[in-house]
Amino acid sequence: GQQLNQSPQSMFIQEGEDVSMNCTSSSIFNTWLWYKQDPGEGPVLLIALYKAGELTSNGRLTAQFGITRKDSFLNISASIPSDVGIYFCAGRTGANSKLTFGKGITLSVRP
Amino acid sequence: SAVISQKPSRDICQRGTSLTIQCQVDSQVTMMFWYRQQPGQSLTLIATANQGSEATYESGFVIDKFPISRPNLTFSTLTVSNMSPEDSSIYLCSVDRTGTSSYNEQFFGPGTRLTVL
């Protein structure tokens, strides 16, 4: 079946640093979504991408839909302590197909 | 976005009992989804619930264990039946909503944290 690969499992950065996270697949996806999950909460949608090559920003977050449609990345610039959480990528192969999730990356930010 | 609420937010249950989780959405949606997130893991889709028809279950999940109701376009319930400690997870409700780009985006409720003793 389709799988989304996120690695490493954990990342540790200093406050103020930028960080980039990748999500890759062996299958083609038509939609890429990035979510953040805080402890005890449901995932919150950060950015949605719908076209190959698309680059979208949301505040300090920037995400890109890879040109091959098999990958996406999320950048966080000038990290702050509240960026701590688990970041999941998710993708769809069709407009109404179910979402496939990556395993998530736990981000820690040292003050 | 979508405003989704779930009840209960958490519960501790005894082995062999059942728990029904409620999901309420702020406006009508065609499809509602139920996910399970085991400790430290990613999200796994349990089933898709459409109003007026039986839920569609993913491989590894069966109706006898996870019966779902969808009585109207803003509400759904998931029951975790005959619970065992392996059912200890966060259960999440989600919905698709058309975003500003005219594509479907999926939004999640806050989750129900279930512990089975």
Side-chain angles (χ1 to χ4, degrees):
Chain A
Q2 296 131 2
Q3 283 186 319
L4 293 180
N5 303 307
Q6 288 185 265
S7 65
Q9 190 174 356
S10 302
M11 300 181 79
F12 300 85
I13 61 173
Q14 200 73 32
E15 183 177 358
E17 288 182 343
D18 300 347
V19 62
S20 182
M21 304 176 190
N22 278 356
C23 185
T24 62
S25 172
S26 57
S27 305
I28 288 175
F29 283 80
N30 291 334
T31 300
W32 291 90
L33 304 172
W34 284 92
Y35 290 89
K36 177 176 183 261
Q37 186 175 29
D38 290 329
E41 303 289 331
V44 173
L45 181 63
L46 299 174
I47 292 180
L49 302 160
Y50 302 106
K51 296 178 184 176
E54 180 181 1
L55 185 71
T56 297
S57 293
N58 178 7
R60 293 179 297 105
L61 308 178
T62 301
Q64 184 156 30
F65 191 142
I67 199 72
T68 65
R69 296 198 285 160
K70 293 183 178 181
D71 65 330
S72 175
F73 73 75
L74 174 71
N75 277 355
I76 304 173
S77 63
S79 60
I80 59 178
S82 62
D83 290 332
V84 165
I86 305 175
Y87 290 81
F88 291 100
C89 65
R92 287 192 214 260
T93 56
N96 294 317
S97 64
K98 65 180 183 179
L99 274 183
T100 299
F101 279 84
K103 292 187 183 296
I105 294 176
T106 300
L107 179 66
S108 299
V109 179
R110 289 187 289 260
Chain B
S1 65
V3 178
I4 305 170
S5 60
Q6 288 185 233
K7 289 181 183 180
S9 59
R10 58 178 61 232
D11 208 341
I12 300 173
C13 300
Q14 294 298 320
R15 182 195 298 260
T17 63
S18 298
L19 176 72
T20 295
I21 301 167
Q22 299 178 4
C23 178
Q24 180 76 51
V25 190
D26 63 337
S27 60
Q28 295 180 347
V29 292
T30 303
M31 290 195 290
M32 296 177 77
F33 306 90
W34 287 98
Y35 287 81
R36 180 175 74 183
Q37 186 177 26
Q38 293 176 303
Q41 301 297 313
S42 187
L43 285 75
T44 301
L45 182 64
I46 297 172
T48 302
N50 291 336
Q51 194 266 340
S53 63
E54 279 198 6
T56 303
Y57 289 82
E58 297 299 309
S59 174
F61 298 97
V62 295
I63 188 171
D64 290 347
K65 176 67 176 177
F66 297 101
I68 286 171
S69 79
R70 182 78 201 275
N72 59 52
L73 292 173
T74 62
F75 187 79
S76 178
T77 68
L78 169 77
T79 298
V80 186
S81 303
N82 189 23
M83 289 182 284
S84 67
E86 292 70 35
D87 294 319
S88 297
S89 294
I90 299 172
Y91 291 86
L92 294 151
C93 168
S94 73
V95 303
D96 270 347
R97 182 69 56 84
T98 302
T100 54
S101 60
S102 301
Y103 291 90
N104 277 343
E105 298 172 349
Q106 196 162 108
F107 299 94
F108 286 84
T112 295
R113 184 179 295 271
L114 171 63
T115 302
V116 184
L117 301 178

